[in-house]
Amino acid sequence: AQSVAQPEDQVNVAEGNPLTVKCTYSVSGNPYLFWYVQYPNRGLQFLLKYITGDNLVKGSYGFEAEFNKSQTSFHLKKPSALVSDSALYFCAVRDQSGTALIFGKGTTLSVSS
Amino acid sequence: EAGVTQSPTHLIKTRGQQATLRCSPISGHTSVYWYQQALGLGLQFLLWYDEGEERNRGNFPPRFSGRQFPNYSSELNVNALELEDSALYLCASSLFGQHSNQPQHFGDGTRLSIL
């Protein structure tokens, strides 16, 4: 069965420092991977996706993610964190039926000034 | 372009009642998905509609149902409400459905509270 794991409930980083939010996945076949962000009382905003091709994917708001097939990981990164990046981040994989998204439990990112 | 819109924003019901949640997808999107975000349970897939038909369902009882209209908007109906149905219900739409590499775009959700 497809699954996604986000091993950290919370990540704390100082403004201006690089950030990494971790995600590992388990799929049969080639994965379709996504990152979303959720601000309080809002829905999910799409950040970026990996379908095929370059292992480094660039997305919205300066975020990028690195796909690593051997480690089955898809970590979200940003070179310089902003206080406004503080939010709940979800990693997701499209399920075997090719329709629904299977989400990790989410990682709260807290950026301090 | 207008995003996915959901109504109402909040809905308060009592046990045993029925709730109806509505969703309008992004213009041009034919696939609509419903997810439940309950405290402690994370985000779980409920239903997928495409071209007016229910195409896939998550691990939820039949009292969760819905439909998609000819204009691709969708309704989620929850019958015989239980306390554990209290959650944020998110609707998403995408350009294509099955095996698509297109992302799903989400609305801001309906907060359903069961008293």
Side-chain angles (χ1 to χ4, degrees), chain A residues 1-3 25-32 93-96:
Chain A
Q2 323 269 87
S3 66
Y25 64 90
S26 174
V27 303
S28 53
N30 295 319
Y32 286 8
V93 65
R94 200 177 285 276
D95 77 352
Q96 269 183 311

Side-chain angles (χ1 to χ4, degrees), chain B:
Chain B
E1 118 190 311
V4 176
T5 57
Q6 292 186 244
S7 63
T9 306
H10 293 94
L11 191 56
I12 300 174
K13 295 285 185 179
T14 57
R15 286 179 62 191
Q17 284 188 313
Q18 187 229 10
T20 298
L21 289 62
R22 296 179 175 83
C23 172
S24 291
I26 291 171
S27 177
H29 287 190
T30 60
S31 275
V32 171
Y33 310 80
W34 288 95
Y35 292 84
Q36 181 196 66
Q37 187 176 22
L39 204 61
L41 294 177
L43 276 154
Q44 295 183 280
F45 167 69
L46 262 167
L47 292 158
W48 169 43
Y49 290 94
D50 187 64
E51 296 290 352
E53 300 282 335
E54 180 183 307
R55 303 292 185 180
N56 196 11
R57 149 183 291 270
N59 190 25
F60 282 85
R63 58 190 187 84
F64 287 84
S65 66
R67 52 181 173 166
Q68 187 178 34
F69 298 98
N71 66 354
Y72 303 111
S73 67
S74 176
E75 264 182 12
L76 174 68
N77 296 295
V78 189
N79 294 319
L81 287 164
E82 300 178 3
L83 292 176
E84 53 263 34
D85 297 334
S86 293
L88 182 66
Y89 289 84
L90 293 167
C91 173
S93 72
S94 72
L95 196 53
F96 302 109
Q98 194 168 23
H99 299 299
S100 168
N101 63 12
Q102 297 299 311
Q104 296 177 15
H105 296 275
F106 287 77
D108 283 340
T110 293
R111 173 78 59 189
L112 177 61
S113 298
I114 311 304
L115 303 179

Side-chain angles (χ1 to χ4, degrees), chain A residues 29-101:
Chain A
N30 295 319
Y32 286 8
L33 294 159
F34 304 83
W35 274 102
Y36 287 85
V37 60
Q38 186 177 33
Y39 294 97
N41 301 312
R42 300 296 302 275
L44 275 65
Q45 275 182 251
F46 169 70
L47 284 177
L48 51 79
K49 66 179 180 182
Y50 173 82
I51 305 301
T52 186
D54 288 342
N55 290 341
L56 187 63
V57 179
K58 293 191 183 297
S60 306
Y61 313 116
F63 284 95
E64 57 190 29
E66 188 170 8
F67 173 71
N68 188 315
K69 188 171 184 178
S70 62
Q71 296 186 2
T72 62
S73 66
F74 188 54
H75 300 333
L76 181 70
K77 301 184 180 192
K78 189 173 182 182
S80 178
L82 299 172
V83 172
S84 56
D85 293 331
S86 298
L88 182 57
Y89 290 79
F90 289 97
C91 181
V93 65
R94 200 177 285 276
D95 77 352
Q96 269 183 311
S97 74
T99 55
L101 291 175

